[in-house]
Amino acid sequence: MKTVILEHEYASPAKEVWALATDLDALREIMDGVVSFEGLPSGRVYQGQRITVQVSLFGKLPPQPYFMEVLECDDEAMILRSSEKGAGVKSWRHTLTVEPQQSGSRLRDVIEIDAGWMSWAFALWARFLYRKRHEPRVQMLADMRAKRSETELSDAESP
């Protein structure tokens, strides 16, 4: 068993980061070119949801079955816990939390991985994978802010 812990800071309100982090359509976009998903539903994740997909790394490796169950998705506490397995992993337990900060918010991923003797390799992969999500999220949040500003400006100009 290996545990990976990553924290990322965002200059956006916690509720916005939470909404983005729990949006499966955003996940698909964020992971484009790194992981492709066949069968990933649209919309936000919800407690009790069970998702079975085929994943392909970098769109090159043969698709592998992967299963995720959402154990907890609490919008008030901004905590998501999932139990996952597949593609060589016996157990991948992920806890994602978003906390307000003075300068925006902090997203924290804790991933506990059991892949037998290969746990070390999957821990390296997890570290890469979750770090890779940061920059696209920063860009998506900036785009959301810009769009909101445009809307507010046009609303203010309307008679």
Side-chain angles (χ1 to χ4, degrees):
M1 175 85 66
K2 293 282 185 186
T3 301
V4 174
I5 301 171
L6 294 167
E7 291 185 347
H8 292 100
E9 303 284 332
Y10 296 92
S12 296
K15 292 285 186 189
E16 288 180 16
V17 174
W18 170 252
L20 185 63
T22 56
D23 184 313
L24 294 170
D25 297 306
L27 175 65
R28 182 181 290 110
E29 186 177 333
I30 287 167
M31 291 284 83
D32 187 44
V34 179
V35 177
S36 62
F37 303 94
E38 292 176 32
L40 187 67
S42 287
R44 293 205 49 237
V45 296
Y46 56 87
Q47 190 164 315
Q49 186 175 24
R50 294 169 172 253
I51 301 170
T52 301
V53 296
Q54 295 284 319
V55 295
S56 173
L57 304 184
F58 307 107
K60 305 287 185 210
L61 296 177
Q64 299 285 315
Y66 198 79
F67 173 77
M68 174 179 152
E69 180 178 4
V70 180
L71 303 174
E72 180 179 7
C73 185
D74 185 330
D75 289 333
E76 290 303 310
M78 291 185 282
I79 182 167
L80 171 70
R81 287 186 320 107
S82 65
S83 177
E84 308 172 31
K85 64 182 176 183
V89 176
K90 294 178 192 176
S91 173
W92 183 289
R93 297 183 68 83
H94 179 209
T95 302
L96 179 150
T97 56
V98 178
E99 300 172 343
Q101 301 292 307
Q102 269 191 316
S103 61
S105 56
R106 175 181 299 133
L107 185 147
R108 184 173 202 233
D109 291 297
V110 178
I111 309 104
E112 299 170 82
I113 303 163
D114 180 4
W117 68 275
M118 289 293 292
S119 294
W120 66 272
F122 282 96
L124 289 174
W125 169 250
R127 189 168 296 285
F128 166 80
L129 188 66
Y130 288 86
R131 277 187 179 150
K132 192 79 171 156
R133 294 177 181 189
H134 178 66
E135 284 306 318
R137 278 189 184 138
V138 168
Q139 186 59 54
M140 291 173 94
L141 288 162
D143 292 347
M144 289 166 50
R145 240 184 345 265
K147 188 174 183 178
R148 192 171 49 248
S149 292
E150 286 175 17
T151 302
E152 290 169 358
L153 185 60
S154 72
D155 288 350
E157 292 174 353
S158 297

